[in-house]
Amino acid sequence: MTFMRKINRGFIVFIALILIVIGYLLVLRFLRLDDQQKLQNSVSEYLSVYQKDIILGDQTPENALEKIKNNEISYFVSNDHFASMQSVAQNMLHAQSKFGTIQNYEVHIHNFEPIEFNGKTAKVIVNTIVSYQGPDQIIPSLSSNDSQSQATAQFVFEKIDNEWKIFYFSGYIAGTNNESAMLTNQVNIE
């Protein structure tokens, strides 16, 4: 009989451990779903701001760059991480002052690939459709004759003070071997 009691206790402890592990995994999944939604919203918001800011219009490149900094810096981990993105934007704005301004630049999110979490970082890959009208010299991989092109962007976010911020960003326009100055921004400050 004592042997049966020992087996029963062991079985009860085993079941309790299984329930604890299942509970932990469910809580972790719930937290990840919340983080997943926050990350997707951050990407959507950032791309919405970026597509508006990158059009020079009747501004000077310097004024437009200041506007970009004011509107976009809050999405990045630090000023250093934003600096590389700012230099790409600066090149785009100066190209517009030389070749003519972009009339239309829109990024429509097609879908998100599964988000990869790794501790306090998360990799978000988003597939987009880019609509562009403007001088061919600014984005050589998109001519103004193309109404739309597929593009993929990869964001790596870092969670700081319970907020997800961009740590790294890169992207490319599908069907090209040349990296575009518009969507292909390598921001990797270590």
Side-chain angles (χ1 to χ4, degrees), residues 105-108 110 127-132 139 141-143 145-152 172-176 183:
Y105 180 77
E106 296 177 10
V107 179
H108 303 281
H110 179 63
N127 298 306
T128 64
I129 305 293
V130 177
S131 300
Y132 171 77
I139 304 179
S141 57
L142 278 179
S143 71
N145 299 332
D146 295 335
S147 59
Q148 296 182 335
S149 184
Q150 294 181 353
T152 301
Y172 65 90
I173 305 234
T176 66
L183 267 182

mmCIF file with all atom_site columns, all heavy atoms in Angstrom, residues 105-108 110 127-132 139 141-143 145-152 172-176 183:
data_model
loop_
_atom_site.group_PDB
_atom_site.id
_atom_site.type_symbol
_atom_site.label_atom_id
_atom_site.label_alt_id
_atom_site.label_comp_id
_atom_site.label_asym_id
_atom_site.label_entity_id
_atom_site.label_seq_id
_atom_site.pdbx_PDB_ins_code
_atom_site.Cartn_x
_atom_site.Cartn_y
_atom_site.Cartn_z
_atom_site.occupancy
_atom_site.B_iso_or_equiv
_atom_site.pdbx_formal_charge
_atom_site.auth_seq_id
_atom_site.auth_comp_id
_atom_site.auth_asym_id
_atom_site.auth_atom_id
_atom_site.pdbx_PDB_model_num
ATOM 1   N N   . TYR A 1 105 ? 4.273  58.428 -53.531 1.00 0.00 ? 105 TYR A N   1
ATOM 2   C CA  . TYR A 1 105 ? 4.996  57.284 -52.983 1.00 0.00 ? 105 TYR A CA  1
ATOM 3   C C   . TYR A 1 105 ? 4.121  56.700 -51.888 1.00 0.00 ? 105 TYR A C   1
ATOM 4   O O   . TYR A 1 105 ? 3.851  57.342 -50.881 1.00 0.00 ? 105 TYR A O   1
ATOM 5   C CB  . TYR A 1 105 ? 6.349  57.709 -52.413 1.00 0.00 ? 105 TYR A CB  1
ATOM 6   C CG  . TYR A 1 105 ? 7.122  56.548 -51.848 1.00 0.00 ? 105 TYR A CG  1
ATOM 7   C CD1 . TYR A 1 105 ? 7.779  55.652 -52.686 1.00 0.00 ? 105 TYR A CD1 1
ATOM 8   C CD2 . TYR A 1 105 ? 7.186  56.328 -50.479 1.00 0.00 ? 105 TYR A CD2 1
ATOM 9   C CE1 . TYR A 1 105 ? 8.471  54.572 -52.173 1.00 0.00 ? 105 TYR A CE1 1
ATOM 10  C CE2 . TYR A 1 105 ? 7.878  55.256 -49.961 1.00 0.00 ? 105 TYR A CE2 1
ATOM 11  C CZ  . TYR A 1 105 ? 8.520  54.383 -50.809 1.00 0.00 ? 105 TYR A CZ  1
ATOM 12  O OH  . TYR A 1 105 ? 9.205  53.309 -50.308 1.00 0.00 ? 105 TYR A OH  1
ATOM 13  N N   . GLU A 1 106 ? 3.625  55.498 -52.114 1.00 0.00 ? 106 GLU A N   1
ATOM 14  C CA  . GLU A 1 106 ? 2.739  54.854 -51.145 1.00 0.00 ? 106 GLU A CA  1
ATOM 15  C C   . GLU A 1 106 ? 3.209  53.434 -50.893 1.00 0.00 ? 106 GLU A C   1
ATOM 16  O O   . GLU A 1 106 ? 3.580  52.719 -51.822 1.00 0.00 ? 106 GLU A O   1
ATOM 17  C CB  . GLU A 1 106 ? 1.299  54.829 -51.644 1.00 0.00 ? 106 GLU A CB  1
ATOM 18  C CG  . GLU A 1 106 ? 0.681  56.202 -51.803 1.00 0.00 ? 106 GLU A CG  1
ATOM 19  C CD  . GLU A 1 106 ? -0.734 56.152 -52.360 1.00 0.00 ? 106 GLU A CD  1
ATOM 20  O OE1 . GLU A 1 106 ? -1.315 55.048 -52.442 1.00 0.00 ? 106 GLU A OE1 1
ATOM 21  O OE2 . GLU A 1 106 ? -1.243 57.221 -52.705 1.00 0.00 ? 106 GLU A OE2 1
ATOM 22  N N   . VAL A 1 107 ? 3.174  53.056 -49.641 1.00 0.00 ? 107 VAL A N   1
ATOM 23  C CA  . VAL A 1 107 ? 3.520  51.700 -49.234 1.00 0.00 ? 107 VAL A CA  1
ATOM 24  C C   . VAL A 1 107 ? 2.268  51.070 -48.631 1.00 0.00 ? 107 VAL A C   1
ATOM 25  O O   . VAL A 1 107 ? 1.740  51.566 -47.638 1.00 0.00 ? 107 VAL A O   1
ATOM 26  C CB  . VAL A 1 107 ? 4.659  51.697 -48.196 1.00 0.00 ? 107 VAL A CB  1
ATOM 27  C CG1 . VAL A 1 107 ? 4.994  50.272 -47.774 1.00 0.00 ? 107 VAL A CG1 1
ATOM 28  C CG2 . VAL A 1 107 ? 5.889  52.413 -48.724 1.00 0.00 ? 107 VAL A CG2 1
ATOM 29  N N   . HIS A 1 108 ? 1.791  50.011 -49.274 1.00 0.00 ? 108 HIS A N   1
ATOM 30  C CA  . HIS A 1 108 ? 0.616  49.293 -48.784 1.00 0.00 ? 108 HIS A CA  1
ATOM 31  C C   . HIS A 1 108 ? 1.081  47.945 -48.245 1.00 0.00 ? 108 HIS A C   1
ATOM 32  O O   . HIS A 1 108 ? 1.747  47.190 -48.956 1.00 0.00 ? 108 HIS A O   1
ATOM 33  C CB  . HIS A 1 108 ? -0.399 49.072 -49.903 1.00 0.00 ? 108 HIS A CB  1
ATOM 34  C CG  . HIS A 1 108 ? -0.836 50.339 -50.558 1.00 0.00 ? 108 HIS A CG  1
ATOM 35  N ND1 . HIS A 1 108 ? -1.771 51.173 -49.998 1.00 0.00 ? 108 HIS A ND1 1
ATOM 36  C CD2 . HIS A 1 108 ? -0.443 50.932 -51.709 1.00 0.00 ? 108 HIS A CD2 1
ATOM 37  C CE1 . HIS A 1 108 ? -1.950 52.222 -50.776 1.00 0.00 ? 108 HIS A CE1 1
ATOM 38  N NE2 . HIS A 1 108 ? -1.149 52.099 -51.825 1.00 0.00 ? 108 HIS A NE2 1
ATOM 39  N N   . HIS A 1 110 ? 0.983  44.292 -47.554 1.00 0.00 ? 110 HIS A N   1
ATOM 40  C CA  . HIS A 1 110 ? 0.295  43.119 -48.104 1.00 0.00 ? 110 HIS A CA  1
ATOM 41  C C   . HIS A 1 110 ? 0.076  42.085 -46.993 1.00 0.00 ? 110 HIS A C   1
ATOM 42  O O   . HIS A 1 110 ? -1.027 41.616 -46.784 1.00 0.00 ? 110 HIS A O   1
ATOM 43  C CB  . HIS A 1 110 ? 1.104  42.532 -49.260 1.00 0.00 ? 110 HIS A CB  1
ATOM 44  C CG  . HIS A 1 110 ? 0.507  41.317 -49.866 1.00 0.00 ? 110 HIS A CG  1
ATOM 45  N ND1 . HIS A 1 110 ? -0.714 41.328 -50.503 1.00 0.00 ? 110 HIS A ND1 1
ATOM 46  C CD2 . HIS A 1 110 ? 0.952  40.034 -49.920 1.00 0.00 ? 110 HIS A CD2 1
ATOM 47  C CE1 . HIS A 1 110 ? -0.986 40.112 -50.933 1.00 0.00 ? 110 HIS A CE1 1
ATOM 48  N NE2 . HIS A 1 110 ? 0.001  39.306 -50.583 1.00 0.00 ? 110 HIS A NE2 1
ATOM 49  N N   . ASN A 1 127 ? 5.690  42.210 -46.099 1.00 0.00 ? 127 ASN A N   1
ATOM 50  C CA  . ASN A 1 127 ? 5.628  42.250 -47.563 1.00 0.00 ? 127 ASN A CA  1
ATOM 51  C C   . ASN A 1 127 ? 4.686  43.379 -47.947 1.00 0.00 ? 127 ASN A C   1
ATOM 52  O O   . ASN A 1 127 ? 3.572  43.469 -47.424 1.00 0.00 ? 127 ASN A O   1
ATOM 53  C CB  . ASN A 1 127 ? 5.137  40.916 -48.110 1.00 0.00 ? 127 ASN A CB  1
ATOM 54  C CG  . ASN A 1 127 ? 6.090  39.796 -47.759 1.00 0.00 ? 127 ASN A CG  1
ATOM 55  O OD1 . ASN A 1 127 ? 7.273  39.872 -48.036 1.00 0.00 ? 127 ASN A OD1 1
ATOM 56  N ND2 . ASN A 1 127 ? 5.582  38.767 -47.119 1.00 0.00 ? 127 ASN A ND2 1
ATOM 57  N N   . THR A 1 128 ? 5.149  44.231 -48.852 1.00 0.00 ? 128 THR A N   1
ATOM 58  C CA  . THR A 1 128 ? 4.387  45.420 -49.206 1.00 0.00 ? 128 THR A CA  1
ATOM 59  C C   . THR A 1 128 ? 4.231  45.550 -50.715 1.00 0.00 ? 128 THR A C   1
ATOM 60  O O   . THR A 1 128 ? 4.931  44.894 -51.487 1.00 0.00 ? 128 THR A O   1
ATOM 61  C CB  . THR A 1 128 ? 5.090  46.701 -48.684 1.00 0.00 ? 128 THR A CB  1
ATOM 62  O OG1 . THR A 1 128 ? 6.350  46.830 -49.336 1.00 0.00 ? 128 THR A OG1 1
ATOM 63  C CG2 . THR A 1 128 ? 5.277  46.667 -47.186 1.00 0.00 ? 128 THR A CG2 1
ATOM 64  N N   . ILE A 1 129 ? 3.332  46.414 -51.100 1.00 0.00 ? 129 ILE A N   1
ATOM 65  C CA  . ILE A 1 129 ? 3.182  46.847 -52.485 1.00 0.00 ? 129 ILE A CA  1
ATOM 66  C C   . ILE A 1 129 ? 3.519  48.333 -52.489 1.00 0.00 ? 129 ILE A C   1
ATOM 67  O O   . ILE A 1 129 ? 2.940  49.114 -51.728 1.00 0.00 ? 129 ILE A O   1
ATOM 68  C CB  . ILE A 1 129 ? 1.744  46.637 -53.000 1.00 0.00 ? 129 ILE A CB  1
ATOM 69  C CG1 . ILE A 1 129 ? 1.299  45.177 -52.831 1.00 0.00 ? 129 ILE A CG1 1
ATOM 70  C CG2 . ILE A 1 129 ? 1.606  47.116 -54.435 1.00 0.00 ? 129 ILE A CG2 1
ATOM 71  C CD1 . ILE A 1 129 ? 2.039  44.186 -53.684 1.00 0.00 ? 129 ILE A CD1 1
ATOM 72  N N   . VAL A 1 130 ? 4.476  48.723 -53.319 1.00 0.00 ? 130 VAL A N   1
ATOM 73  C CA  . VAL A 1 130 ? 4.920  50.116 -53.387 1.00 0.00 ? 130 VAL A CA  1
ATOM 74  C C   . VAL A 1 130 ? 4.400  50.746 -54.678 1.00 0.00 ? 130 VAL A C   1
ATOM 75  O O   . VAL A 1 130 ? 4.587  50.192 -55.763 1.00 0.00 ? 130 VAL A O   1
ATOM 76  C CB  . VAL A 1 130 ? 6.462  50.211 -53.355 1.00 0.00 ? 130 VAL A CB  1
ATOM 77  C CG1 . VAL A 1 130 ? 6.924  51.645 -53.498 1.00 0.00 ? 130 VAL A CG1 1
ATOM 78  C CG2 . VAL A 1 130 ? 7.004  49.591 -52.082 1.00 0.00 ? 130 VAL A CG2 1
ATOM 79  N N   . SER A 1 131 ? 3.742  51.876 -54.529 1.00 0.00 ? 131 SER A N   1
ATOM 80  C CA  . SER A 1 131 ? 3.307  52.673 -55.680 1.00 0.00 ? 131 SER A CA  1
ATOM 81  C C   . SER A 1 131 ? 4.206  53.895 -55.742 1.00 0.00 ? 131 SER A C   1
ATOM 82  O O   . SER A 1 131 ? 4.395  54.580 -54.730 1.00 0.00 ? 131 SER A O   1
ATOM 83  C CB  . SER A 1 131 ? 1.853  53.128 -55.505 1.00 0.00 ? 131 SER A CB  1
ATOM 84  O OG  . SER A 1 131 ? 1.005  52.019 -55.380 1.00 0.00 ? 131 SER A OG  1
ATOM 85  N N   . TYR A 1 132 ? 4.749  54.171 -56.931 1.00 0.00 ? 132 TYR A N   1
ATOM 86  C CA  . TYR A 1 132 ? 5.713  55.262 -57.066 1.00 0.00 ? 132 TYR A CA  1
ATOM 87  C C   . TYR A 1 132 ? 5.476  56.011 -58.367 1.00 0.00 ? 132 TYR A C   1
ATOM 88  O O   . TYR A 1 132 ? 5.292  55.406 -59.410 1.00 0.00 ? 132 TYR A O   1
ATOM 89  C CB  . TYR A 1 132 ? 7.138  54.692 -57.052 1.00 0.00 ? 132 TYR A CB  1
ATOM 90  C CG  . TYR A 1 132 ? 8.218  55.681 -57.401 1.00 0.00 ? 132 TYR A CG  1
ATOM 91  C CD1 . TYR A 1 132 ? 8.635  56.616 -56.468 1.00 0.00 ? 132 TYR A CD1 1
ATOM 92  C CD2 . TYR A 1 132 ? 8.816  55.686 -58.655 1.00 0.00 ? 132 TYR A CD2 1
ATOM 93  C CE1 . TYR A 1 132 ? 9.625  57.533 -56.776 1.00 0.00 ? 132 TYR A CE1 1
ATOM 94  C CE2 . TYR A 1 132 ? 9.803  56.591 -58.974 1.00 0.00 ? 132 TYR A CE2 1
ATOM 95  C CZ  . TYR A 1 132 ? 10.212 57.520 -58.028 1.00 0.00 ? 132 TYR A CZ  1
ATOM 96  O OH  . TYR A 1 132 ? 11.195 58.426 -58.327 1.00 0.00 ? 132 TYR A OH  1
ATOM 97  N N   . ILE A 1 139 ? 14.676 56.362 -57.697 1.00 0.00 ? 139 ILE A N   1
ATOM 98  C CA  . ILE A 1 139 ? 14.572 54.942 -57.354 1.00 0.00 ? 139 ILE A CA  1
ATOM 99  C C   . ILE A 1 139 ? 14.720 54.170 -58.660 1.00 0.00 ? 139 ILE A C   1
ATOM 100 O O   . ILE A 1 139 ? 13.739 53.897 -59.347 1.00 0.00 ? 139 ILE A O   1
ATOM 101 C CB  . ILE A 1 139 ? 13.229 54.610 -56.673 1.00 0.00 ? 139 ILE A CB  1
ATOM 102 C CG1 . ILE A 1 139 ? 13.018 55.483 -55.446 1.00 0.00 ? 139 ILE A CG1 1
ATOM 103 C CG2 . ILE A 1 139 ? 13.198 53.137 -56.273 1.00 0.00 ? 139 ILE A CG2 1
ATOM 104 C CD1 . ILE A 1 139 ? 11.707 55.246 -54.734 1.00 0.00 ? 139 ILE A CD1 1
ATOM 105 N N   . SER A 1 141 ? 15.202 51.175 -59.471 1.00 0.00 ? 141 SER A N   1
ATOM 106 C CA  . SER A 1 141 ? 14.511 49.900 -59.618 1.00 0.00 ? 141 SER A CA  1
ATOM 107 C C   . SER A 1 141 ? 13.014 50.070 -59.852 1.00 0.00 ? 141 SER A C   1
ATOM 108 O O   . SER A 1 141 ? 12.332 49.121 -60.195 1.00 0.00 ? 141 SER A O   1
ATOM 109 C CB  . SER A 1 141 ? 14.749 49.026 -58.390 1.00 0.00 ? 141 SER A CB  1
ATOM 110 O OG  . SER A 1 141 ? 14.325 49.704 -57.234 1.00 0.00 ? 141 SER A OG  1
ATOM 111 N N   . LEU A 1 142 ? 12.500 51.272 -59.663 1.00 0.00 ? 142 LEU A N   1
ATOM 112 C CA  . LEU A 1 142 ? 11.087 51.565 -59.948 1.00 0.00 ? 142 LEU A CA  1
ATOM 113 C C   . LEU A 1 142 ? 11.034 52.713 -60.942 1.00 0.00 ? 142 LEU A C   1
ATOM 114 O O   . LEU A 1 142 ? 11.417 53.824 -60.624 1.00 0.00 ? 142 LEU A O   1
ATOM 115 C CB  . LEU A 1 142 ? 10.362 52.020 -58.675 1.00 0.00 ? 142 LEU A CB  1
ATOM 116 C CG  . LEU A 1 142 ? 9.859  50.991 -57.709 1.00 0.00 ? 142 LEU A CG  1
ATOM 117 C CD1 . LEU A 1 142 ? 9.197  51.675 -56.523 1.00 0.00 ? 142 LEU A CD1 1
ATOM 118 C CD2 . LEU A 1 142 ? 8.893  50.038 -58.363 1.00 0.00 ? 142 LEU A CD2 1
ATOM 119 N N   . SER A 1 143 ? 10.576 52.442 -62.102 1.00 0.00 ? 143 SER A N   1
ATOM 120 C CA  . SER A 1 143 ? 10.406 53.553 -63.035 1.00 0.00 ? 143 SER A CA  1
ATOM 121 C C   . SER A 1 143 ? 9.021  54.129 -62.839 1.00 0.00 ? 143 SER A C   1
ATOM 122 O O   . SER A 1 143 ? 8.129  53.470 -62.310 1.00 0.00 ? 143 SER A O   1
ATOM 123 C CB  . SER A 1 143 ? 10.587 53.084 -64.484 1.00 0.00 ? 143 SER A CB  1
ATOM 124 O OG  . SER A 1 143 ? 9.495  52.290 -64.875 1.00 0.00 ? 143 SER A OG  1
ATOM 125 N N   . ASN A 1 145 ? 6.916  54.453 -64.885 1.00 0.00 ? 145 ASN A N   1
ATOM 126 C CA  . ASN A 1 145 ? 5.958  53.708 -65.711 1.00 0.00 ? 145 ASN A CA  1
ATOM 127 C C   . ASN A 1 145 ? 5.326  52.553 -64.933 1.00 0.00 ? 145 ASN A C   1
ATOM 128 O O   . ASN A 1 145 ? 4.259  52.091 -65.268 1.00 0.00 ? 145 ASN A O   1
ATOM 129 C CB  . ASN A 1 145 ? 6.647  53.155 -66.962 1.00 0.00 ? 145 ASN A CB  1
ATOM 130 C CG  . ASN A 1 145 ? 7.207  54.256 -67.825 1.00 0.00 ? 145 ASN A CG  1
ATOM 131 O OD1 . ASN A 1 145 ? 6.693  55.376 -67.818 1.00 0.00 ? 145 ASN A OD1 1
ATOM 132 N ND2 . ASN A 1 145 ? 8.265  53.958 -68.547 1.00 0.00 ? 145 ASN A ND2 1
ATOM 133 N N   . ASP A 1 146 ? 6.062  52.063 -63.923 1.00 0.00 ? 146 ASP A N   1
ATOM 134 C CA  . ASP A 1 146 ? 5.517  50.983 -63.096 1.00 0.00 ? 146 ASP A CA  1
ATOM 135 C C   . ASP A 1 146 ? 4.510  51.576 -62.128 1.00 0.00 ? 146 ASP A C   1
ATOM 136 O O   . ASP A 1 146 ? 4.795  52.545 -61.442 1.00 0.00 ? 146 ASP A O   1
ATOM 137 C CB  . ASP A 1 146 ? 6.632  50.317 -62.269 1.00 0.00 ? 146 ASP A CB  1
ATOM 138 C CG  . ASP A 1 146 ? 7.659  49.615 -63.128 1.00 0.00 ? 146 ASP A CG  1
ATOM 139 O OD1 . ASP A 1 146 ? 7.304  49.222 -64.254 1.00 0.00 ? 146 ASP A OD1 1
ATOM 140 O OD2 . ASP A 1 146 ? 8.802  49.475 -62.681 1.00 0.00 ? 146 ASP A OD2 1
ATOM 141 N N   . SER A 1 147 ? 3.345  50.995 -62.092 1.00 0.00 ? 147 SER A N   1
ATOM 142 C CA  . SER A 1 147 ? 2.362  51.520 -61.155 1.00 0.00 ? 147 SER A CA  1
ATOM 143 C C   . SER A 1 147 ? 2.593  50.947 -59.761 1.00 0.00 ? 147 SER A C   1
ATOM 144 O O   . SER A 1 147 ? 2.413  51.628 -58.776 1.00 0.00 ? 147 SER A O   1
ATOM 145 C CB  . SER A 1 147 ? 0.946  51.212 -61.622 1.00 0.00 ? 147 SER A CB  1
ATOM 146 O OG  . SER A 1 147 ? 0.771  49.824 -61.760 1.00 0.00 ? 147 SER A OG  1
ATOM 147 N N   . GLN A 1 148 ? 3.026  49.699 -59.700 1.00 0.00 ? 148 GLN A N   1
ATOM 148 C CA  . GLN A 1 148 ? 3.242  49.066 -58.401 1.00 0.00 ? 148 GLN A CA  1
ATOM 149 C C   . GLN A 1 148 ? 4.360  48.052 -58.488 1.00 0.00 ? 148 GLN A C   1
ATOM 150 O O   . GLN A 1 148 ? 4.607  47.476 -59.541 1.00 0.00 ? 148 GLN A O   1
ATOM 151 C CB  . GLN A 1 148 ? 1.973  48.357 -57.919 1.00 0.00 ? 148 GLN A CB  1
ATOM 152 C CG  . GLN A 1 148 ? 0.818  49.276 -57.654 1.00 0.00 ? 148 GLN A CG  1
ATOM 153 C CD  . GLN A 1 148 ? -0.395 48.513 -57.135 1.00 0.00 ? 148 GLN A CD  1
ATOM 154 O OE1 . GLN A 1 148 ? -0.548 47.326 -57.380 1.00 0.00 ? 148 GLN A OE1 1
ATOM 155 N NE2 . GLN A 1 148 ? -1.245 49.213 -56.417 1.00 0.00 ? 148 GLN A NE2 1
ATOM 156 N N   . SER A 1 149 ? 5.012  47.823 -57.359 1.00 0.00 ? 149 SER A N   1
ATOM 157 C CA  . SER A 1 149 ? 6.032  46.800 -57.280 1.00 0.00 ? 149 SER A CA  1
ATOM 158 C C   . SER A 1 149 ? 5.998  46.189 -55.882 1.00 0.00 ? 149 SER A C   1
ATOM 159 O O   . SER A 1 149 ? 5.645  46.864 -54.911 1.00 0.00 ? 149 SER A O   1
ATOM 160 C CB  . SER A 1 149 ? 7.411  47.401 -57.550 1.00 0.00 ? 149 SER A CB  1
ATOM 161 O OG  . SER A 1 149 ? 8.382  46.388 -57.557 1.00 0.00 ? 149 SER A OG  1
ATOM 162 N N   . GLN A 1 150 ? 6.369  44.934 -55.803 1.00 0.00 ? 150 GLN A N   1
ATOM 163 C CA  . GLN A 1 150 ? 6.428  44.283 -54.497 1.00 0.00 ? 150 GLN A CA  1
ATOM 164 C C   . GLN A 1 150 ? 7.734  44.641 -53.808 1.00 0.00 ? 150 GLN A C   1
ATOM 165 O O   . GLN A 1 150 ? 8.769  44.790 -54.453 1.00 0.00 ? 150 GLN A O   1
ATOM 166 C CB  . GLN A 1 150 ? 6.336  42.775 -54.652 1.00 0.00 ? 150 GLN A CB  1
ATOM 167 C CG  . GLN A 1 150 ? 5.003  42.315 -55.177 1.00 0.00 ? 150 GLN A CG  1
ATOM 168 C CD  . GLN A 1 150 ? 4.940  40.800 -55.296 1.00 0.00 ? 150 GLN A CD  1
ATOM 169 O OE1 . GLN A 1 150 ? 5.921  40.103 -55.104 1.00 0.00 ? 150 GLN A OE1 1
ATOM 170 N NE2 . GLN A 1 150 ? 3.764  40.294 -55.609 1.00 0.00 ? 150 GLN A NE2 1
ATOM 171 N N   . ALA A 1 151 ? 7.662  44.787 -52.507 1.00 0.00 ? 151 ALA A N   1
ATOM 172 C CA  . ALA A 1 151 ? 8.853  45.074 -51.716 1.00 0.00 ? 151 ALA A CA  1
ATOM 173 C C   . ALA A 1 151 ? 8.737  44.342 -50.388 1.00 0.00 ? 151 ALA A C   1
ATOM 174 O O   . ALA A 1 151 ? 7.639  44.068 -49.904 1.00 0.00 ? 151 ALA A O   1
ATOM 175 C CB  . ALA A 1 151 ? 8.994  46.575 -51.477 1.00 0.00 ? 151 ALA A CB  1
ATOM 176 N N   . THR A 1 152 ? 9.877  44.027 -49.823 1.00 0.00 ? 152 THR A N   1
ATOM 177 C CA  . THR A 1 152 ? 9.928  43.385 -48.514 1.00 0.00 ? 152 THR A CA  1
ATOM 178 C C   . THR A 1 152 ? 10.796 44.227 -47.609 1.00 0.00 ? 152 THR A C   1
ATOM 179 O O   . THR A 1 152 ? 11.857 44.702 -48.015 1.00 0.00 ? 152 THR A O   1
ATOM 180 C CB  . THR A 1 152 ? 10.513 41.963 -48.630 1.00 0.00 ? 152 THR A CB  1
ATOM 181 O OG1 . THR A 1 152 ? 9.684  41.207 -49.514 1.00 0.00 ? 152 THR A OG1 1
ATOM 182 C CG2 . THR A 1 152 ? 10.571 41.275 -47.284 1.00 0.00 ? 152 THR A CG2 1
ATOM 183 N N   . TYR A 1 172 ? 14.033 45.751 -49.610 1.00 0.00 ? 172 TYR A N   1
ATOM 184 C CA  . TYR A 1 172 ? 14.384 45.735 -51.033 1.00 0.00 ? 172 TYR A CA  1
ATOM 185 C C   . TYR A 1 172 ? 13.117 45.663 -51.860 1.00 0.00 ? 172 TYR A C   1
ATOM 186 O O   . TYR A 1 172 ? 12.077 45.237 -51.402 1.00 0.00 ? 172 TYR A O   1
ATOM 187 C CB  . TYR A 1 172 ? 15.321 44.570 -51.359 1.00 0.00 ? 172 TYR A CB  1
ATOM 188 C CG  . TYR A 1 172 ? 14.696 43.219 -51.178 1.00 0.00 ? 172 TYR A CG  1
ATOM 189 C CD1 . TYR A 1 172 ? 14.017 42.595 -52.224 1.00 0.00 ? 172 TYR A CD1 1
ATOM 190 C CD2 . TYR A 1 172 ? 14.766 42.560 -49.960 1.00 0.00 ? 172 TYR A CD2 1
ATOM 191 C CE1 . TYR A 1 172 ? 13.438 41.358 -52.060 1.00 0.00 ? 172 TYR A CE1 1
ATOM 192 C CE2 . TYR A 1 172 ? 14.183 41.316 -49.785 1.00 0.00 ? 172 TYR A CE2 1
ATOM 193 C CZ  . TYR A 1 172 ? 13.531 40.726 -50.839 1.00 0.00 ? 172 TYR A CZ  1
ATOM 194 O OH  . TYR A 1 172 ? 12.944 39.498 -50.671 1.00 0.00 ? 172 TYR A OH  1
ATOM 195 N N   . ILE A 1 173 ? 13.259 46.103 -53.091 1.00 0.00 ? 173 ILE A N   1
ATOM 196 C CA  . ILE A 1 173 ? 12.160 46.050 -54.040 1.00 0.00 ? 173 ILE A CA  1
ATOM 197 C C   . ILE A 1 173 ? 12.319 44.758 -54.842 1.00 0.00 ? 173 ILE A C   1
ATOM 198 O O   . ILE A 1 173 ? 13.397 44.465 -55.335 1.00 0.00 ? 173 ILE A O   1
ATOM 199 C CB  . ILE A 1 173 ? 12.200 47.277 -54.965 1.00 0.00 ? 173 ILE A CB  1
ATOM 200 C CG1 . ILE A 1 173 ? 12.205 48.516 -54.112 1.00 0.00 ? 173 ILE A CG1 1
ATOM 201 C CG2 . ILE A 1 173 ? 11.117 47.210 -56.013 1.00 0.00 ? 173 ILE A CG2 1
ATOM 202 C CD1 . ILE A 1 173 ? 11.201 49.546 -54.335 1.00 0.00 ? 173 ILE A CD1 1
ATOM 203 N N   . ALA A 1 174 ? 11.249 43.991 -54.924 1.00 0.00 ? 174 ALA A N   1
ATOM 204 C CA  . ALA A 1 174 ? 11.299 42.682 -55.579 1.00 0.00 ? 174 ALA A CA  1
ATOM 205 C C   . ALA A 1 174 ? 11.647 42.814 -57.055 1.00 0.00 ? 174 ALA A C   1
ATOM 206 O O   . ALA A 1 174 ? 11.331 43.805 -57.696 1.00 0.00 ? 174 ALA A O   1
ATOM 207 C CB  . ALA A 1 174 ? 9.963  41.983 -55.430 1.00 0.00 ? 174 ALA A CB  1
ATOM 208 N N   . GLY A 1 175 ? 12.313 41.786 -57.574 1.00 0.00 ? 175 GLY A N   1
ATOM 209 C CA  . GLY A 1 175 ? 12.600 41.728 -59.000 1.00 0.00 ? 175 GLY A CA  1
ATOM 210 C C   . GLY A 1 175 ? 13.813 42.533 -59.418 1.00 0.00 ? 175 GLY A C   1
ATOM 211 O O   . GLY A 1 175 ? 14.035 42.729 -60.600 1.00 0.00 ? 175 GLY A O   1
ATOM 212 N N   . THR A 1 176 ? 14.595 43.009 -58.476 1.00 0.00 ? 176 THR A N   1
ATOM 213 C CA  . THR A 1 176 ? 15.780 43.783 -58.826 1.00 0.00 ? 176 THR A CA  1
ATOM 214 C C   . THR A 1 176 ? 16.995 43.233 -58.114 1.00 0.00 ? 176 THR A C   1
ATOM 215 O O   . THR A 1 176 ? 16.894 42.687 -57.028 1.00 0.00 ? 176 THR A O   1
ATOM 216 C CB  . THR A 1 176 ? 15.628 45.266 -58.426 1.00 0.00 ? 176 THR A CB  1
ATOM 217 O OG1 . THR A 1 176 ? 15.563 45.331 -57.005 1.00 0.00 ? 176 THR A OG1 1
ATOM 218 C CG2 . THR A 1 176 ? 14.411 45.893 -59.030 1.00 0.00 ? 176 THR A CG2 1
ATOM 219 N N   . LEU A 1 183 ? 13.688 52.093 -50.314 1.00 0.00 ? 183 LEU A N   1
ATOM 220 C CA  . LEU A 1 183 ? 13.322 51.082 -49.340 1.00 0.00 ? 183 LEU A CA  1
ATOM 221 C C   . LEU A 1 183 ? 14.504 50.295 -48.813 1.00 0.00 ? 183 LEU A C   1
ATOM 222 O O   . LEU A 1 183 ? 14.373 49.587 -47.850 1.00 0.00 ? 183 LEU A O   1
ATOM 223 C CB  . LEU A 1 183 ? 12.324 50.098 -49.954 1.00 0.00 ? 183 LEU A CB  1
ATOM 224 C CG  . LEU A 1 183 ? 10.873 50.402 -49.739 1.00 0.00 ? 183 LEU A CG  1
ATOM 225 C CD1 . LEU A 1 183 ? 10.008 49.325 -50.348 1.00 0.00 ? 183 LEU A CD1 1
ATOM 226 C CD2 . LEU A 1 183 ? 10.531 50.579 -48.286 1.00 0.00 ? 183 LEU A CD2 1
#
